[in-house]
Amino acid sequence: MNAPEGWRRPAPRRADSGAEIFPGDAAAQEDDGGESARGGSARRGRRRGRRSTGARSGRSGEGSSPGRFPEGPTPGSAAAQGPPADPEAVAREICLRQLSFAPKTRAQLADALRRKGVPDDVAERVLSRYSEVGLIDDAAFARAWVESRHTGRGLARRALAAELRQRGVADETVSEAVEELGPEQEEAAARELVARRLPGTRGLDPVKRTRRLMGMLARKGYSGGLAYRVVREALEAEGADDLPDLSFDD
């Protein structure tokens, strides 16, 4: 077949490998040699990766720990030969760091200092000084804790007292803080909790509903007598019958 008038076969161009190809032959070359080319690139990439990893390992040193920074100064360095840190300065820094996150009781700060190895006499001096200037105030901590946990979680006095004792607050301070929460406030919070959970128990028999709602109040520190009375009144208001007849001493 004769070529159209004026048409000339394009001049060949050279590939990197030295083979002559023409336009339209690139796809065939890719089929024949593409896999080997990609394989060669992958192998080169893996070799580069191994060299980079080796260089990084050499910089970090043999047997180094996985952390980014070493633990303490390098042995034999000027920092390692310097004077030891002032224990009181260390204790003050630990306390301020702890207090910057959230309010803490004196007992909580004492535990933090003990874990860091601060001597007991140094810890006592720093904690006493911070108590004098008002940075540590267990009474204020207890009052704020009661208000926050009662308002936010609906906790009763019994649960609040247990939480404060777990944080090292003295019994007298705990009693003063929880007594600010009156019986009327506690009962109102219990009724609100029951009203919030009541719709989720519909469809259950009255005994199961009573048990589930009372268990919720008990976990929040409410006495059995108050919990039963509030739950029974809420269920009776919905028209429930065949409620269990329970009695409590508290």
Side-chain angles (χ1 to χ4, degrees), residues 67-187:
R68 282 188 62 188
F69 303 104
E71 297 259 345
T74 303
S77 66
Q81 297 171 2
D86 177 20
E88 286 201 22
V90 172
R92 288 193 295 269
E93 177 65 23
I94 293 171
C95 288
L96 291 175
R97 191 182 306 118
Q98 291 282 322
L99 291 169
S100 68
F101 296 139
K104 295 288 191 298
T105 66
R106 179 170 179 142
Q108 287 176 313
L109 292 174
D111 287 342
L113 295 176
R114 194 175 301 113
R115 288 194 301 269
K116 295 295 184 179
V118 176
D120 290 344
D121 58 333
V122 174
E124 182 62 28
R125 286 198 300 271
V126 171
L127 294 174
S128 296
R129 178 57 181 162
Y130 279 9
S131 296
E132 291 173 5
V133 299
L135 289 176
I136 302 174
D137 188 341
D138 282 4
F141 177 94
R143 289 193 299 269
W145 187 271
V146 167
E147 181 179 358
S148 173
R149 299 286 284 175
H150 176 71
T151 303
R153 299 288 303 278
L155 298 186
R157 287 177 290 183
R158 184 181 300 176
L160 293 167
E163 289 185 342
L164 289 172
R165 290 190 181 97
Q166 288 173 358
R167 285 154 181 78
V169 180
D171 287 343
E172 183 178 354
T173 305
V174 170
S175 298
E176 292 174 356
V178 298
E179 286 302 321
E180 294 184 8
L181 183 63
E184 298 81 7
Q185 291 175 273
E186 198 171 59
E187 182 172 336

Side-chain angles (χ1 to χ4, degrees), residues 14 21 27 30 54 64-65 103 121 170 175 216 224 230 239:
R14 290 189 176 276
I21 62 172
E30 174 67 22
S64 60
S65 62
D121 58 333
S175 298
M216 178 269 296
V230 169

Side-chain angles (χ1 to χ4, degrees), residues 208-230:
K208 287 184 178 179
R209 297 183 78 186
T210 301
R211 185 169 60 246
R212 183 167 298 184
L213 293 170
M214 287 187 63
M216 178 269 296
L217 291 177
R219 288 190 295 273
K220 291 181 177 292
Y222 292 90
S223 66
L226 174 60
Y228 176 67
R229 178 162 55 84
V230 169

